Amino acid sequence: MKNDDSGKVILVTGASSGIGALSVRALARAGHTVYAGIRRTTTRNATAVAGLTRYGTDHQADVHAVELDVTSQDSVDAAVDRIFAERGRLDVVVHNAGHMVLGAAEAFTTEQFADVYDVNVLGTQRVNRAALPKLREQGSGLLVWIGSSSSRGGCPPFLAPYFAAKAAMDAVAVSYAAEVLPFGIDTAIVVPGAFTTGTRHFANAGAPADTDRAELYDRRHRPLMDDLGKRLAVLVPSDADVAEVAEAVARLVAMEQGTRPLRTHIDPSRDGSEVVSAVADRPRPRRLLPPHRTGQPAHRRQLPVTPH
């Protein structure tokens, strides 16, 4: 479906695969112009770019790959500048770029912790600093943050750097929500559960650099480490589809300004994050957030999600 006058111009970061790639396609099907932020478009991710191009041709979708590395401010600035040069506006930013690591917390160096924060937290700040001046000038916009139920739900071991970074990103998103609202900019946090299929989080996860310490933990926890993905999969219904996260993003974009819920949980395993968020979000200052967005879980009424 081609973009029309009602379509929005959207940037999705981390769009080479998984939730990012699915979101690009779901948004394009809804009639939007979508820029897929992908790093190393001519080398490592050239296949992903080719697949996106084919999708656009086959479905007459207005999709475009744009070189974007969230760890580089120059790269982010260039991507946003290109979108404005080509379209004259930017309506929605989907913060999806992220990196997972898997292993004993002690075995990760401080530099590795910092690298995970750089992608998952500082990356969103770089994108915001590039995009928000233009959104503020427009007087409208939407920031969609792809979070994780691990921020407040059940947290299995051996994912500490990733979980810590996702929790930090969530805190940043909540603070931004109140700060950008007076400029006409909405915030929506999408909270996926532990989908074990449909993404390459575990396959692409980084490992601890301190192999000696990692081995000490492996001796005690090897059965748990080897079966972590399988153990998580047992908690997820067999019909769980990570594409539901992308569809939730598309529904949020379609909603009227000022009516979007602060959080939308897509968690087939029901790990408790939704319950904790309902309590944690309740004290949000009513003078900063509209009343309908402070009393969670209002999102259940505003954005129904089919339960598993």
Side-chain angles (χ1 to χ4, degrees), residues 37 72-73 91 95 126 161 191 267 277:
S72 165
Q73 189 68 59
D91 303 301
H95 288 300
R126 293 186 183 98
V191 189
D267 181 15
S277 291

Side-chain angles (χ1 to χ4, degrees), residues 46-72:
T47 300
V49 173
L52 179 68
T53 301
R54 285 195 303 273
Y55 184 88
T57 300
D58 294 344
H59 296 82
Q60 294 186 306
D62 199 357
V63 293
H64 311 267
V66 58
E67 177 69 35
L68 193 156
D69 179 353
V70 297
T71 66
S72 165

Side-chain angles (χ1 to χ4, degrees), residues 3-16:
N3 186 47
D4 57 27
D5 291 339
S6 65
K8 295 180 172 61
V9 178
I10 302 173
L11 170 63
V12 181
T13 69
S16 64

Side-chain angles (χ1 to χ4, degrees), residues 256-279:
E256 292 293 329
Q257 196 82 7
T259 68
R260 300 177 177 103
L262 178 62
R263 282 183 206 280
T264 301
H265 291 260
I266 312 294
D267 181 15
S269 67
R270 297 290 187 263
D271 70 358
S273 174
E274 188 169 0
V275 176
V276 177
S277 291
V279 176

Side-chain angles (χ1 to χ4, degrees), residues 99-106 108 113 116-117 120 148 150-151 154-167 194-196 201-208 224-225 228-229 232:
H99 179 57
M100 177 184 285
V101 293
L102 180 64
E106 184 188 342
F108 288 100
F113 260 79
V116 176
Y117 270 66
N120 292 279
S148 170
S150 64
S151 297
C155 296
F158 308 115
L159 290 162
Y162 175 72
F163 286 169
K166 279 297 187 181
F195 288 92
T196 53
H201 280 322
F202 284 93
N204 294 333
L224 177 59
M225 284 287 292
L228 183 59
L232 287 173

Side-chain angles (χ1 to χ4, degrees), residues 143-227:
L143 302 179
V144 179
W145 306 69
I146 307 299
S148 170
S149 65
S150 64
S151 297
R152 287 172 173 167
C155 296
F158 308 115
L159 290 162
Y162 175 72
F163 286 169
K166 279 297 187 181
M169 191 205 79
D170 187 274
V172 171
V174 170
S175 291
Y176 259 113
E179 294 176 10
V180 300
L181 186 63
F183 297 99
I185 301 169
D186 266 0
T187 294
I189 305 171
V190 178
V191 189
F195 288 92
T196 53
T197 60
T199 72
R200 295 188 58 80
H201 280 322
F202 284 93
N204 294 333
D210 190 336
T211 55
D212 291 338
R213 298 196 195 200
E215 177 60 25
L216 293 174
Y217 280 88
D218 285 349
R219 293 175 191 171
R220 291 293 185 102
H221 298 290
R222 191 176 302 278
L224 177 59
M225 284 287 292
D226 290 343
D227 295 336

